Amino acid sequence: MTPLLSVKDVSKYYGNRIGCANVGFDLYPGEVMGIVGESGSGKSTLLNCLAGHHAPDTGEVVFDTRTDGPRDTLQMSEPERRMLGRTDWAFVHQHARDGLRMGVSAGGNVGERLMAVGQRHYGDIRAQAVDWLGRVEIDEDRVDDRPTAFSGGMQQRLQIARNLVTGPRLVFMDEPTGGLDVSVQARLLDLLRGLVRDLGLSAIIVTHDLAVVRLLADRLMVMKSGHVVETGLTDQVLDDPQHGYTQLLVSSVLQV
Amino acid sequence: MIELTNVSKTFTLHNQGGAVLEVMRGANLTVPAGECVALTGASGAGKSTLMRIIYGNYLAAGGSVVVGGVDVTQSEPRDILKLRREVLGYVSQFLRVVPRVHTIEVVAEPLLSLGIPMDEAKDRAASLLQKLNIPEPLWSLSPTTFSGGEQQRVNIARGFAHSYPALLLDEPTASLDATNREIVLGLIEEAKANGTAIVGIFHDEAARERVCDREIDVTGFSPLAAA
């Protein structure tokens, strides 16, 4: 099987400081990988390098495109990469405001991605937007409201709907449940699990919340100071951590 | 079906002076299809550790653990997950679920992940919950608020939803009353008859006598015994 995403030797330096160094992994279709580590460990830098938001200093990010097979996204032209960002890729930001257009209605936010891939029939677009709002448990009668009128948890769910409406194959998520209260978090996690299972998505989730990765991720990558210190099956890494830093991380979680 | 060869296990505690605990050495175990093996030994002897190694939850330090042709110690995460979906089931002592998910969906989930349609999976889940005497009004509630015994039975229903060719059972009859204990033992016997290879921990001696073909004392796998 061809990996959906094959990352080789990705490094990013901020001057003399290491953002992330020599990261490599293969992600297969349907797989969900979690990246954990304390803040400043390079998780988000890595995610942004993979998603094409930052240009890494070295390395390859090879994506198995629908039309041309595996291609290094770092060598693609900007329009090609943007096209990928609108179709096969999705990026869920930690703060929903970064991923939404706050001045446009909820339906418009979801519909915009459809228009970006060439859909023009307004009725169809609206119907799909309503369908997706329903899937993320937002009432149909809120379709014409702006996200500014939504709660934080609703905004986050709207962002997810906006991202998934074009049927991406790879979703990047940066702390998707950060900043939400626990009951909303549980609901969002349940929703994400269902979507991953039903749509066969692959995802890379950056978080510092170990409970989130235990529920969502198949496998885990633990980062410290820009380096990957441990990888493996999620429950194995959490229950039988091998590296000193992972042991510290796991044993530092407060029990509820 | 399940074959362990020369398995060893150490824990290195990097944050406690780098202490290295060697807990298992030279563990060998073969369980053919249709056989149930009970792991015995005092508390702390390594029964659960051995189960977790078989499930791929703990990383073995050496040796091989082959379940249904897949060596758990050498496989990629996605291969282990595939094995867990299709071949190897595990009923742990405690139920761990996503909050808010309905009991019936918790039980149906292993089937859904195999691609079985929702209706069929829910039918199977319903018949198991019925069998295990979970009252129907509870099916659409999250099991997080259930009593210990009810949670245990939901957990068992989940573990038996798919007929796995290999099954690990961690105290399946603990915290159950006599009627439900009887039902669970019935499920185990049924699975055996269907050719499931089972490794279990049973503190309940009568249950062990009834469903297990063999007992393995894991004290024999401790480094002290091997030395």
Side-chain angles (χ1 to χ4, degrees), chain B residues 50-204:
Chain B
L50 189 65
M51 291 255 265
R52 283 164 172 257
I53 290 173
I54 300 174
Y55 199 56
N57 182 233
Y58 279 3
L59 206 62
S64 71
V65 177
V66 180
V67 182
V70 175
D71 186 346
V72 174
T73 60
Q74 305 291 328
S75 297
E76 290 288 315
R78 64 176 180 285
D79 296 323
I80 296 178
L81 290 170
K82 184 167 186 280
L83 184 77
R84 289 180 182 179
R85 268 196 310 272
E86 296 168 4
V87 178
L88 181 62
Y90 179 41
V91 179
S92 64
Q93 254 176 300
F94 304 101
L95 183 67
R96 197 177 228 157
V97 294
V98 190
R100 217 184 70 115
V101 178
H102 301 168
T103 298
I104 188 142
E105 279 159 24
V106 168
V107 176
E109 210 206 339
L111 296 172
L112 296 177
S113 67
L114 284 168
I116 290 168
M118 183 66 95
D119 295 347
E120 203 181 320
K122 280 199 173 166
D123 285 348
R124 168 83 181 140
S127 75
L128 274 164
L129 287 171
Q130 195 122 49
K131 201 169 188 176
L132 288 158
N133 295 316
I134 305 283
E136 192 163 346
L138 297 183
W139 295 0
S140 55
L141 301 177
S142 163
T144 40
T145 54
F146 289 8
S147 77
E150 281 166 347
Q151 290 200 3
Q152 173 73 346
R153 278 177 279 145
V154 170
N155 206 11
I156 288 166
R158 183 182 159 90
F160 282 89
H162 170 55
S163 25
Y164 297 101
L167 198 55
L168 306 171
L169 303 173
D170 195 346
E171 296 230 39
T173 54
S175 71
L176 293 186
D177 58 45
T179 332
N180 288 310
R181 179 174 160 274
E182 197 57 33
I183 294 162
V184 171
L185 292 177
L187 280 173
I188 297 174
E189 281 168 339
E190 208 176 287
K192 275 177 67 183
N194 285 333
T196 300
I198 299 174
V199 175
I201 300 173
F202 301 87
H203 282 302
D204 173 353

Side-chain angles (χ1 to χ4, degrees), chain A residues 16-234:
Chain A
N16 288 327
R17 259 180 232 162
I18 298 175
C20 60
N22 309 317
V23 180
F25 63 89
D26 285 336
L27 186 76
Y28 286 81
E31 238 181 351
V32 178
M33 187 173 85
I35 304 177
V36 296
E38 61 198 355
S39 68
S41 58
K43 313 182 293 278
S44 295
T45 296
L46 175 63
L47 192 74
N48 282 307
C49 284
L50 301 180
H53 298 172
H54 291 346
D57 295 314
T58 65
E60 284 177 24
V61 178
V62 179
F63 180 71
D64 186 15
T65 59
R66 282 187 223 221
T67 44
D68 307 322
R71 288 193 56 197
D72 185 357
T73 58
L74 300 175
Q75 305 298 324
M76 281 182 178
S77 65
E78 191 59 25
E80 279 182 298
R81 202 158 45 226
R82 280 174 166 269
M83 191 60 197
L84 206 55
R86 287 200 296 268
T87 53
D88 270 352
W89 286 8
F91 197 101
V92 177
H93 294 265
Q94 177 175 7
H95 303 290
R97 290 170 165 270
D98 297 337
L100 292 172
R101 285 194 197 279
M102 298 305 284
V104 174
S105 72
N109 265 288
V110 180
E112 188 190 18
R113 267 194 58 121
L114 290 170
M115 286 196 263
V117 296
Q119 291 203 26
R120 290 293 178 262
H121 190 288
Y122 183 78
D124 287 351
I125 291 172
R126 191 177 168 90
Q128 284 190 59
V130 168
D131 173 47
W132 267 96
L133 290 180
R135 288 204 219 185
V136 297
E137 303 175 14
I138 295 175
D139 274 342
E140 190 181 338
D141 61 10
R142 303 297 302 267
V143 67
D144 295 317
D145 290 352
R146 291 184 185 174
T148 41
F150 286 4
S151 71
M154 280 174 81
Q155 288 180 1
Q156 193 59 291
R157 279 179 277 139
L158 177 62
Q159 191 194 186
I160 288 168
R162 172 182 161 94
N163 271 289
L164 297 184
V165 68
T166 49
R169 292 189 294 155
L170 176 60
V171 186
F172 300 97
M173 295 191 215
D174 192 0
E175 303 271 4
T177 58
L180 300 176
D181 73 72
V182 285
S183 68
V184 179
Q185 229 184 64
R187 209 160 144 172
L188 199 65
L189 287 175
D190 176 27
L191 176 79
L192 285 173
R193 262 165 70 98
L195 291 172
V196 166
R197 189 184 62 210
D198 298 343
L199 306 174
L201 299 176
S202 301
I204 300 177
I205 301 175
V206 162
T207 179
H208 60 255
D209 188 335
L210 299 181
V212 168
V213 286
R214 192 188 276 278
L215 287 175
L216 282 179
D218 299 326
R219 49 192 271 231
L220 215 52
M221 201 157 92
V222 184
M223 291 188 73
K224 182 181 193 306
S225 314
H227 296 272
V228 175
V229 296
E230 185 165 354
T231 62
L233 192 67
T234 302

Side-chain angles (χ1 to χ4, degrees), chain A residues 193 235 239-240 242 247, chain B residues 9 12 14 57 59 100 109:
Chain A
R193 262 165 70 98
D235 59 290
D239 293 340
D240 187 17
Q242 306 292 309
Q247 294 184 351
Chain B
K9 175 67 194 159
T12 309
H14 294 284
N57 182 233
L59 206 62
R100 217 184 70 115
E109 210 206 339

